[in-house]
Amino acid sequence: MATYSFTVRIIHWGMAVLLLSLLLAGLTMVRSLEPWQPALLGLHKSLGTIAFIAVITRLSARLDSASPGLPQAMHPLQRAAARSSHLLLYVLMIALPLSGYLMQSAAGRPIHVFDSLTIPTAFPVNQELYGLFRETHFALAASLAVLVLIHIGAALHHGLVRRDGVLQSITLPKGKLDKA
């Protein structure tokens, strides 16, 4: 059975945890005005920056290594849907942190990455742009959340119902990390 490269698989699962954490933090922040909200926002910005770097790294690793083919038994429409959804996942994983950065720039807030690196704003304060990028960031996050749920559902369908090796191509078999 063909699998993704070890690097791609490690980045995939690390990003899965990171993206779910970012989505949950984002939902928590917009629904709360608690005293801890600014600290969570700072963490969200730092992790969002790391997610952006990770997706670029992942895309590079994915383009640098062969991907296992989809099962021949899959309908051509399902193959097209799988390829399109993966492409859309990458687009959203790139666009979401960029929209967050642009939103913060429009508000005049540089991004402080774990208080060790500062990414300056891209342009002067602009409340209209801030509103636009805030709505865009939310819409992209909601789209990513829906697509992630579809992705998880499809992976489970392949792993538990079809048993066609698609899920196994991205999972890390027991003992694999011990040998790395």
Side-chain angles (χ1 to χ4, degrees):
M1 169 181 59
T3 61
Y4 286 95
S5 72
F6 184 72
T7 302
V8 169
R9 291 167 10 154
I10 288 292
I11 295 171
H12 174 274
W13 291 106
M15 285 197 66
V17 170
L18 184 59
L19 290 176
L20 289 174
S21 299
L22 283 164
L23 287 169
L24 288 172
L27 271 173
T28 302
M29 285 185 309
V30 297
R31 306 189 97 230
S32 175
L33 294 174
E34 298 293 325
W36 46 261
Q37 196 265 359
L40 184 58
L41 179 59
L43 181 62
H44 183 80
K45 292 178 193 181
S46 293
L47 293 177
T49 303
I50 289 171
F52 181 74
I53 293 166
V55 74
I56 298 301
T57 303
R58 178 179 176 178
L59 188 56
S60 175
R62 172 95 188 264
L63 293 173
D64 195 39
S65 63
S67 298
L70 294 169
Q72 293 295 330
M74 278 182 72
H75 189 277
L77 197 55
Q78 288 177 313
R79 289 171 176 269
R83 283 192 283 279
S84 297
S85 68
H86 278 96
L87 177 62
L88 188 53
L89 278 168
Y90 279 107
V91 167
L92 290 170
M93 288 187 292
I94 291 170
L96 194 53
L98 286 177
S99 68
Y101 168 67
L102 293 173
M103 174 179 60
Q104 294 303 305
S105 287
R109 299 182 205 130
I111 305 291
H112 302 285
V113 183
F114 296 114
D115 295 325
S116 61
L117 170 70
T118 299
I119 303 171
T121 60
F123 42 80
V125 173
N126 183 321
Q127 288 303 311
E128 287 180 22
L129 280 179
Y130 171 77
L132 174 68
F133 288 130
R134 188 171 192 267
E135 288 178 23
T136 301
H137 192 67
F138 178 79
L140 291 171
S143 299
L144 181 62
V146 168
L147 193 55
V148 164
L149 290 174
I150 292 169
H151 183 74
I152 291 168
L156 291 174
H157 176 75
H158 281 283
L160 302 174
V161 177
R162 293 183 66 125
R163 300 179 189 266
D164 56 10
V166 170
L167 178 61
Q168 290 75 13
S169 71
I170 197 68
T171 57
L172 293 167
K174 188 175 180 175
K176 179 70 175 178
L177 291 176
D178 299 335
K179 297 174 186 172

